[in-house]
């Protein structure tokens, strides 16, 4: 048995240094978690989704849908506050969907980013009716 006399232990390796998490990381986690909930049709207002669709079709632009559309966050060293703007499918209970989104987002952000989520504010900006076509589908038919 060897002794480490005179050797100062600095603590666990996980406590040696600092980890910072950018706001966009938490935005992406929250956006993906919100989209995973049944009854959420999209994130962002109709205007934001339309502008995003036009931006995505520009040469050199990101071809995928923006995961952070409709998501804004404030992230501190230990806590995060999240605002979401969602579009729900017609026929679902909006309060049930909002509750499920809140639970899913809190769980994902706390698990993945290690930040306590102090609030998740949800604004329902639209309802997707069964006979409405998505803006993306309308553009494809026009082209």
């Amino acid at each position: 048995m060897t002794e480490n006399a005179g050797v100062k232990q600095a603590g666990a390796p996980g406590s040696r240094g600092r980890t910072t998490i950018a706001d966009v990381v938490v935005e992406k986690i929250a956006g993906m978690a919100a989209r995973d909930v049944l009854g959420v049709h999209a994130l962002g207002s109709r205007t934001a989704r339309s502008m995003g669709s036009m931006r995505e079709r520009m040469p050199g632009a990101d071809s995928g849908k923006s995961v952070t559309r409709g998501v804004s966050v404030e992230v501190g060293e230990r806590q995060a506050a999240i605002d979401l703007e969602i579009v729900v499918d017609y026929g679902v209970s909006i309060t049930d969907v909002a509750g499920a989104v809140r639970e899913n987002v809190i769980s994902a952000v706390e698990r993945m980013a290690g930040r306590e989520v102090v609030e998740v504010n949800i604004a329902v900006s639209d309802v997707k009716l069964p006979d409405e076509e998505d803006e993306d589908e309308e553009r494809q038919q026009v082209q």
Side-chain angles (χ1 to χ4, degrees):
M1 179 161 155
T2 60
E3 290 187 34
N4 291 330
V7 177
K8 185 178 180 182
Q9 297 295 324
S15 66
R16 296 181 199 171
R18 185 174 146 187
T19 302
T20 58
I21 298 174
D23 289 3
V24 71
V25 173
V26 176
E27 286 176 349
K28 287 182 178 184
I29 293 168
M32 290 299 294
R35 282 178 175 78
D36 284 345
V37 174
L38 189 64
V40 173
H41 179 73
L43 268 65
S45 67
R46 183 180 296 258
T47 304
R49 293 190 325 269
S50 295
M51 294 300 292
S53 294
M54 288 190 316
R55 234 184 342 264
E56 289 165 2
R57 292 187 301 143
M58 296 175 121
D62 185 12
S63 61
K65 290 184 178 181
S66 176
V67 177
T68 61
R69 186 180 308 137
V71 182
S72 64
V73 301
E74 290 182 32
V75 181
E77 286 187 33
R78 295 187 195 118
Q79 297 178 324
I82 301 164
D83 294 325
L84 300 169
E85 186 172 3
I86 67 172
V87 177
V88 298
D89 291 320
Y90 177 80
V92 300
S93 167
I94 293 173
T95 55
D96 289 349
V97 169
V101 167
R102 198 170 277 114
E103 286 180 25
N104 210 35
V105 168
I106 289 170
S107 175
V109 171
E110 288 184 349
R111 180 177 49 83
M112 295 175 69
R115 299 298 185 264
E116 175 192 7
V117 178
V118 294
E119 65 182 3
V120 177
N121 299 309
I122 299 172
V124 179
S125 62
D126 204 356
V127 173
K128 167 66 171 69
L129 300 175
D131 59 345
E132 285 181 331
E133 291 186 25
D134 285 335
E135 288 90 15
D136 293 339
E137 292 173 7
E138 289 174 5
R139 283 189 192 86
Q140 289 174 358
Q141 290 176 355
V142 170
Q143 292 178 354

